[in-house]
Amino acid sequence: PVDGVAAQVTAIASPGKTRLLMDLFKLRIGFAIALTAAAGVAVTPGTAGTGAAVAVVLAVLVASAAAGAFNQFVEADLDRRMARTRARAFASGRFTPHGGWLALIGALAGGATIAAAWLANPMAAFYTFAGAFFYGVVYTVWLKRRTWMNIVVGGLAGSFAVLAGAAAVSPGAALGPLPLTFAWILFLWTPPHFWSLAIVCIDDYRSAGVPMLPVVAGTPRAARAVFAGTVLLVASSLLPLAFGMGPVYAVGAGAGGALFLRAAFVLARNPGRETALSSFRASLAQLTLLLAAAIADRLL
């Protein structure tokens, strides 16, 4: 495995592949997941050592990157059938899927887990690994091709990132009310976020035979599900105020929630690609505002 990892690193280190690698490891998603872990550190009562906190946030980033690459490795056949994804590294043939890739992915996930255990504690490592496992195995391998509930269960990946950050403060801290509430918020965020994108890409998912909710239930019902999920999400995003979050968080959560609610309402009233794209973008803005406000609230 060590030789396989070394050979793979050499093979992908050639010039001109930076953007391809960023897409392969889904680093934009990885940085969002890392921000989620940082929020978990920030909202957890107590004081985490700087080294432990940074180690866990970086471990979550690396584990997320490994899970993203594994997702593309496993789904190369699906990606080739969808216009949105057919240019990805494995789907396009620019990288050839083979055992060396699995060795590298395993080394990244294993190294991130070990680093979190060594520099923080075993519980932080467990949640770091669990997040990658739920996205890479539970969502990608077990559920995505089988049920429209795929993204509902797969959404636990983001929840585990919050808990990993909280555990960096202390091993049992992840079970406190604030970390669990934020984990619940992340769990609720994923379905309306992803179903909005699935409406935009419904033709892709239909042609690939992936049972995303819009494919199974139709666009109008999926749009109503997005709105219902957003209402529950925004209401839940106010729960941290009952556990000590302050006015900075209230402003960020309120502003982001209003943006997402408005876009989801428009989508439910007028289901279609453009309104779904607006809802998808609003979901990203909502999560960014909420997490940034949570961190800023604790720092200030």
Side-chain angles (χ1 to χ4, degrees):
V2 173
D3 291 340
V5 172
Q8 199 56 45
V9 170
T10 301
I12 65 177
S14 59
K17 292 184 176 177
T18 301
R19 182 172 295 180
L20 193 64
L21 287 171
M22 288 185 66
D23 177 67
L24 172 63
F25 289 105
K26 298 189 175 183
L27 288 183
R28 285 183 296 180
I29 296 175
F31 283 117
I33 296 295
L35 180 64
T36 302
V41 175
V43 304
T44 303
T47 304
T50 302
V54 171
V56 169
V57 171
L58 292 178
V60 167
L61 172 61
V62 173
S64 172
F70 183 74
N71 171 270
Q72 291 198 28
F73 184 95
V74 171
E75 293 186 353
D77 61 322
L78 293 182
D79 287 343
R80 280 190 288 270
R81 300 178 214 165
M82 299 197 291
R84 183 175 67 90
T85 57
R86 63 172 56 117
R88 286 177 171 174
F90 293 132
S92 66
R94 284 180 285 178
F95 287 158
T96 302
H98 52 69
W101 281 106
L102 289 178
L104 176 59
I105 291 167
L108 289 172
T113 303
I114 292 169
W118 181 32
L119 298 172
N121 56 69
M123 288 308 300
F126 169 76
Y127 292 125
T128 298
F129 173 79
F133 180 81
F134 260 78
Y135 183 75
V137 178
V138 175
Y139 167 68
T140 300
V141 177
W142 294 347
L143 299 178
K144 185 168 183 178
R145 303 178 194 235
R146 292 182 173 90
T147 172
W148 66 270
M149 290 286 289
N150 48 26
I151 201 62
V152 177
V153 180
L156 284 169
S159 301
F160 282 121
V162 175
L163 301 181
V169 178
S170 69
L175 300 180
L178 266 176
L180 287 176
T181 300
F182 275 94
W184 171 245
I185 291 168
L186 263 294
F187 175 72
L188 293 177
W189 176 82
T190 306
H193 160 76
F194 204 90
W195 287 337
S196 296
L197 179 63
I199 292 172
V200 175
C201 304
I202 186 172
D203 291 336
D204 275 351
Y205 286 117
R206 185 180 288 120
S207 64
V210 180
M212 289 297 176
L213 182 63
V215 175
V216 174
T219 293
R221 290 180 65 185
R224 292 194 294 270
V226 168
F227 178 65
T230 304
V231 170
L232 181 57
L233 165 67
V234 173
S236 296
S237 72
L238 302 178
L239 289 176
L241 296 173
F243 298 111
M245 298 301 292
V248 174
Y249 174 78
V251 171
L259 285 173
F260 196 6
L261 265 179
R262 180 182 183 281
F265 177 74
V266 172
L267 171 62
R269 289 282 301 273
N270 184 25
R273 187 180 184 279
E274 292 302 319
T275 52
L277 185 59
S278 295
S279 178
F280 173 74
R281 290 171 175 165
S283 72
L284 295 173
Q286 186 264 347
L287 182 65
T288 302
L289 283 170
L290 183 143
L291 294 177
I295 295 171
D297 190 273
R298 296 313 240 181
L299 291 177
L300 296 175

